[in-house]
Amino acid sequence: MTEINSKSKMSSKKRKKLFFVAVMLSIPVLHWFVFWLYVNLNSILMAFQLPTGEWSLLSLKTVLREISAGDSTLRVSITNTLLYFFKDILMLPFQLLIAYFLYRKILFYKGFQVIFYLPAIISGVALTTVFSNFIAPSGPLGKLFLSFGVELPELLADSDYATSTILFFTIWTGWGGQMLLLSGALSRIPVEVLESARLDGINTGKELIHMIVPLVWPTMSTILILNMTGLFGASGPILLFTKGGWGTSTIGYWIFDKVAFVGISAYNEVAAAGLIFTAIGVPVIMFFKWLIERIPTVDY
């Protein structure tokens, strides 16, 4: 009788535990159905419809025509987006290099930490305002150029300089986040491993290439894969600087501009563009992920 009661209590506890787990899991599952599945299915359907609700391929054809047109806003947006994307990829080795030297506690390393991390914690609106005023012809940079007899152009109001200027701004302010992840990975490396290599006579360059990179590769590969997922989403503070003018638009801003200023009549075109970019991006991202995972990692 005692064994039966004990089994009954255990089964009751198990049912309660399973019920609790089911309730907890139902929240993210419901969230996924409503905010991912429903939204994306609706977006896919809209790509094959007209604003009036009639089924048509016109939206897809319109987007493809804009992509193929050399001077279209969408084509310019794609080019700029790829520039921001490759900038993020190319910055990673330099971020690792700086994180490594900060990890080695070089002279004035605390001051360098402030310099590199400060832009990441200051308001983006404040940074863009200060930067815009600084590089203006009437600002400090403009006055410096005038002292040498050179008139500084409107860097953010000239199609020859605007995109390059915003790219420079994103490089200046883009060190903090990924460097923080890399610094965390460096701090996890056992000191004994590096000390042993130094006793064997390894120099700084070889330590970085043959020791540091393999040991932090799991973090670097994760950053690379996350960057790849933003293949068509890479952008800069376009709204705060130029509102898409002077050839600075990106795909992200192009979508925002269509939805915010054109309105409901542009939803189908935006949905079609999203579907096309997804169809292109997913195979590329999956292949890159497969390629990254082929590189062996070091366990420690």
Side-chain angles (χ1 to χ4, degrees):
M1 188 70 178
T2 305
E3 290 182 3
I4 294 173
N5 289 334
S6 177
K7 288 181 180 179
S8 177
K9 288 180 179 178
M10 289 179 63
S11 62
S12 177
K13 288 182 179 179
K14 189 175 181 179
R15 284 196 299 270
K16 289 180 180 179
K17 185 177 180 180
L18 289 174
F19 176 75
F20 175 78
V21 171
V23 170
M24 291 297 101
L25 287 176
S26 66
I27 298 173
V29 169
L30 181 63
H31 184 278
W32 182 82
F33 271 105
V34 175
F35 295 103
W36 192 93
L37 185 62
Y38 170 74
V39 171
N40 283 281
L41 280 177
N42 188 48
S43 179
I44 292 171
L45 293 176
M46 287 180 67
F48 298 94
Q49 292 176 329
L50 296 174
T52 56
E54 300 172 4
W55 295 100
S56 173
L57 296 177
L58 182 61
S59 297
L60 289 167
K61 291 178 180 178
T62 301
V63 172
L64 290 172
R65 187 165 55 249
E66 286 192 42
I67 292 174
S68 61
D71 58 345
S72 70
T73 303
L74 183 54
R75 180 69 173 269
V76 172
S77 299
I78 294 171
T79 302
N80 290 338
T81 300
L82 292 177
L83 286 175
Y84 286 103
F85 167 74
F86 285 113
K87 178 266 300 180
D88 291 337
I89 297 295
L90 293 174
M91 279 184 68
L92 185 58
F94 297 100
Q95 289 167 332
L96 175 62
L97 185 65
I98 293 172
Y100 171 67
F101 283 117
L102 293 179
Y103 168 74
R104 290 289 300 269
K105 296 183 179 179
I106 60 172
L107 188 64
F108 304 124
Y109 77 96
K110 289 188 176 180
F112 286 117
Q113 282 180 331
V114 173
I115 291 171
F116 285 113
Y117 291 128
L118 192 61
I121 60 177
I122 297 177
S123 165
V125 176
L127 272 178
T128 53
T129 302
V130 171
F131 184 78
S132 299
N133 291 328
F134 178 81
I135 66 171
S138 58
L141 188 62
K143 292 178 180 177
L144 178 64
F145 270 69
L146 278 177
S147 66
F148 291 100
V150 179
E151 186 176 352
L152 185 70
E154 285 278 0
L155 297 177
L156 291 171
D158 189 323
S159 57
D160 291 333
Y161 305 106
T163 297
S164 301
T165 303
I166 300 175
L167 275 169
F168 173 81
F169 175 83
T170 58
I171 292 172
W172 171 53
T173 59
W175 296 96
Q178 294 184 359
M179 276 183 58
L180 191 62
L181 294 174
L182 292 169
S183 297
L186 287 167
S187 66
R188 290 180 55 247
I189 297 176
V191 179
E192 297 82 5
V193 174
L194 298 180
E195 286 181 347
S196 175
R198 289 165 190 164
L199 288 173
D200 290 336
I202 193 171
N203 58 38
T204 302
K206 289 183 178 180
E207 180 183 82
L208 177 62
I209 296 171
H210 298 293
M211 299 291 295
I212 298 298
V213 171
L215 289 169
V216 302
W217 179 248
T219 301
M220 288 186 67
S221 62
T222 301
I223 292 173
L224 284 169
I225 292 170
L226 288 174
N227 283 341
M228 281 300 301
T229 60
L231 174 60
F232 292 115
S235 185
I238 309 300
L239 177 65
L240 296 173
F241 274 132
T242 62
K243 294 182 173 60
W246 297 283
T248 60
S249 179
T250 59
I251 294 174
Y253 185 82
W254 179 84
I255 292 173
F256 166 79
D257 184 70
K258 289 284 186 181
V259 172
F261 299 110
V262 179
I264 296 176
S265 61
Y267 286 4
N268 301 87
E269 186 179 342
V270 170
L275 184 62
I276 291 171
F277 293 136
T278 300
I280 297 171
V282 169
V284 174
I285 294 166
M286 296 304 294
F287 173 75
F288 186 83
K289 182 176 181 293
W290 173 84
L291 199 64
I292 287 289
E293 290 175 348
R294 300 282 73 77
I295 301 175
T297 58
V298 178
D299 296 323
Y300 59 92

